[in-house]
Amino acid sequence: MNIGLFGGSFDPIHRGHLALAQAAASRYSLRQVLFVPANVPPHKQKQPLTAFIHRYAMVTLATQDEKRFFPSLLEAPEFTPKHVGAGALTCPAERGSANYSIDTVRRLKKSLKKSDRLFFLVGVDAFRDVAHWHEARALLAECDFIVASRPGYSLRDVAESLPEGLRPAAAVTRPFHKQPAKGDLVLPGLALHLLEEINQSVSATAIRTAAAQGKPLARWLDPRVADYVRKHGLYRKGA
Ligand code: ATP
């Protein structure tokens, strides 16, 4: 069975995330896509982040209607008794150590069958930084990658993002600068599948800004997520 692992901050989960997962699931026959909100995303350790429990709740709401989509607790913080009960949703986010994708992938693979094939889903903007991820080469060797292109990114951007040793020579990648990132890039030590542009120019940052200004969020969010944001007053100034 083909399984997708889609990690992110999901602060909040939005239509861009869902479009990426839909496109990947259809194109690569993924029977399950696990949406894995990170408790502590390594690249966002210093910036404010909504409590894990809210982000997980929003992922659960947004994935409810699609039978292939599952919210996952693979990167959940450890909950203690004070997180259970009426005050749970108002607990401040508790930071622990960063969630590295390599650890998550290895943990997940322990529960998979030999015949299962794992695909790591990521947008090209995040993939641009892959060379700096913890144990990047090991991660790229652990599973297939589905890299979703976004407007403005070329095949050369993808190839040049690879860690040294896996990166093709500049002379090879240079002519790719005008080519859209699509097709497969299979090299020793990695298999990248490039999904053509997911045309959803939305980001969680823009949504948080709009929410802080009291603007409507319906066009970017699943209606249940928009209701959740409103009900809990997430992203409001001073919240
Ligand atoms: P932020 O604006 O807070 O940085 P984000 O909208 O980029 O957040 P993340 O949760 O950080 O969302 O991203 C999770 C994954 O989803 C990343 O791999 C990212 O590249 C991808 N992604 C985010 N937005 C889109 C989009 N509009 N289209 C396609 N992929 C996206």
Side-chain angles (χ1 to χ4, degrees), residues 163-181:
E164 225 173 300
L166 292 179
R167 195 181 311 143
V172 176
T173 58
R174 204 167 297 125
F176 295 164
H177 74 286
K178 282 202 177 122
Q179 283 189 31

Side-chain angles (χ1 to χ4, degrees), residues 2-8 10 16-36 68-69 101 105 108 117-127 133 139 143-149 191-193 195 198:
N2 288 351
I3 297 174
L5 186 162
F6 188 22
F10 299 127
H17 299 130
L18 296 168
L20 188 163
Q22 284 288 1
S26 302
R27 175 86 165 271
Y28 298 99
S29 308
L30 308 180
R31 296 269 293 279
Q32 293 185 2
V33 178
L34 309 182
F35 286 72
V36 187
R68 296 172 296 187
F69 291 178
S101 298
V105 164
L108 174 61
R117 187 170 170 196
L118 184 62
F119 292 78
F120 189 99
L121 275 51
V122 60
V124 65
D125 55 313
F127 190 78
W133 292 9
L139 175 64
C143 55
D144 287 47
F145 269 64
I146 297 175
V147 183
S149 189
L192 299 187
H193 310 281
L195 259 187
I198 308 293

Side-chain angles (χ1 to χ4, degrees), residues 73-75 102-111:
L73 289 169
L74 270 167
E75 296 187 357
I102 182 70
D103 300 330
T104 309
V105 164
R106 285 181 176 149
R107 200 162 345 114
L108 174 61
K109 281 180 85 176
K110 282 189 192 146
S111 65

Side-chain angles (χ1 to χ4, degrees), residues 6-17 19-20 43-44 47 49 120-127 133 148-151 198-208:
F6 188 22
S9 320
F10 299 127
D11 190 15
I13 184 166
H14 55 65
R15 291 196 196 283
H17 299 130
L20 188 163
H43 58 298
K44 293 181 180 171
Q47 69 193 60
L49 199 63
F120 189 99
L121 275 51
V122 60
V124 65
D125 55 313
F127 190 78
W133 292 9
S149 189
R150 295 176 74 170
I198 308 293
N199 272 321
Q200 296 275 344
S201 56
V202 49
S203 72
T205 305
I207 293 169
R208 292 192 300 272

